[in-house]
Amino acid sequence: MPDRVIAGSCALVTGGARGIGRAIAVALLREGVKVVIADVDGVAAARTASELAGDGRVVVPVDLDVRDREAFAAVVERIESDVAPVDILVNNAGIMPLGPFLEQSPDRDDRQIDINVRGVVHGMRAVLPGMLRRRRGHVVNVASVAGKVGVPFAAVYAGTKHAVVGLTEAVRHELRDSGVDLSYIMPAIVDTELTSGTRSLRYPPRVRPEQVADAVVRALRTGRVDVFVPEFTRLTAVLPILLPRSVVERVGRWFGIDQVFAELDADARRAYDLRMDAL
């Protein structure tokens, strides 16, 4: 089957002002997609949109806190009135507090769940009715390999990403043959501010945001449901089916999954933690 044509579509990218979201916006603009950059930091969204505009590209910034269901719905309504119908939603906004589970504050837990899970739910509920009426559209949810593996010292984060995987799979089945597709992206550790002050795995090396962006474009072009970045990490889904748990856990320890977040460089992580806790 030939790749789908996405040029001329309109995409809403949450958390689009920096990091993975910015890279996704760049990749989509390169494909000829109109891009709406949504971010809780409206100033950063406007700055990124200004940097990426030009040469006929359509890039629009919006201020959006994905935790606000009514605000999400209003943004989608405004986009569809002023720009174009939302053909693509990339639910990318997310935060990643790290540390021992029992030492994490309930406020941080709530913030993660609200942004990483409820934000995805709000986005899907905002765009899916219109997509279903038009019988076209694609929702891409940025999850994580942590959506398949219990990652020590990132317990609630891993829980939220498991939720994103399950949510996407379930809604996809509900909407089968509707003309609307759903995919989720499963990156390994990405070299962004979220992972500042952490160790690296023995393998694979840190993923670049551009690799995640390319995976999003690949999902949109092919309709692939689950896209692992790099593809090697699909083993996290396959090995638990094939091998005893004790063997799988030994393999994980060899790659360093039990150590990657065990000791944090607080100085290197301070700027991100301050910005995250201010949300």
Side-chain angles (χ1 to χ4, degrees), residues 4-236:
R4 303 171 183 185
V5 175
I6 62 173
S9 301
C10 177
L12 170 58
V13 181
T14 68
R18 50 173 64 87
I20 293 172
R22 188 186 195 281
I24 292 170
V26 169
L28 291 174
L29 289 166
R30 189 170 57 239
E31 295 290 325
V33 176
K34 306 178 187 74
V35 176
V36 178
I37 293 175
D39 204 283
V40 69
D41 185 341
V43 173
R47 181 172 59 248
T48 298
S50 177
E51 292 169 354
L52 301 183
D55 297 328
R57 292 187 291 269
V58 177
V59 51
V60 178
V62 295
D63 188 339
L64 174 63
D65 185 340
V66 298
R67 294 171 291 187
D68 188 332
R69 177 176 53 83
E70 293 182 356
F72 214 138
V75 160
V76 170
E77 184 177 351
R78 189 162 78 248
I79 294 167
E80 300 201 338
S81 172
D82 298 346
V83 183
V86 177
D87 303 303
I88 299 165
L89 170 64
V90 183
N91 276 314
N92 166 71
I95 62 171
M96 189 172 72
L98 297 173
F101 173 69
L102 293 178
E103 295 178 12
Q104 297 303 294
S105 73
D107 286 345
R108 276 190 167 188
D109 293 344
D110 291 344
R111 198 175 299 122
Q112 279 191 92
I113 293 166
D114 284 344
I115 295 171
N116 297 6
V117 181
R118 290 194 177 95
V120 173
V121 172
H122 296 336
M124 291 170 66
R125 285 208 167 115
V127 302
L128 284 175
M131 290 180 174
L132 289 170
R133 284 194 302 271
R134 296 185 292 270
R135 293 195 60 80
R136 74 174 192 275
H138 201 144
V139 174
V140 180
N141 294 327
V142 178
S144 168
V145 169
K148 293 290 186 180
V149 179
V151 182
F153 309 104
V156 175
Y157 176 80
T160 65
K161 294 305 182 178
H162 275 70
V164 169
V165 170
L167 172 69
T168 311
E169 288 280 6
V171 176
R172 174 180 166 271
H173 284 296
E174 291 183 22
L175 302 186
R176 188 183 300 277
D177 300 324
S178 68
V180 177
D181 294 304
L182 290 97
S183 302
Y184 53 95
I185 312 299
M186 308 283 283
I189 297 173
V190 185
D191 190 14
T192 67
E193 195 179 18
L194 271 73
T195 60
S196 56
T198 66
R199 298 181 179 182
S200 294
L201 293 168
R202 178 173 292 184
Y203 188 84
R206 294 197 178 210
V207 173
R208 292 177 289 104
E210 292 78 14
Q211 291 175 267
V212 184
D214 289 344
V216 170
V217 171
R218 191 157 65 248
L220 293 170
R221 284 191 169 281
T222 65
R224 181 78 175 262
V225 177
D226 55 340
V227 183
F228 287 77
V229 189
E231 181 63 26
F232 165 84
T233 56
R234 186 173 294 276
L235 287 174
T236 58

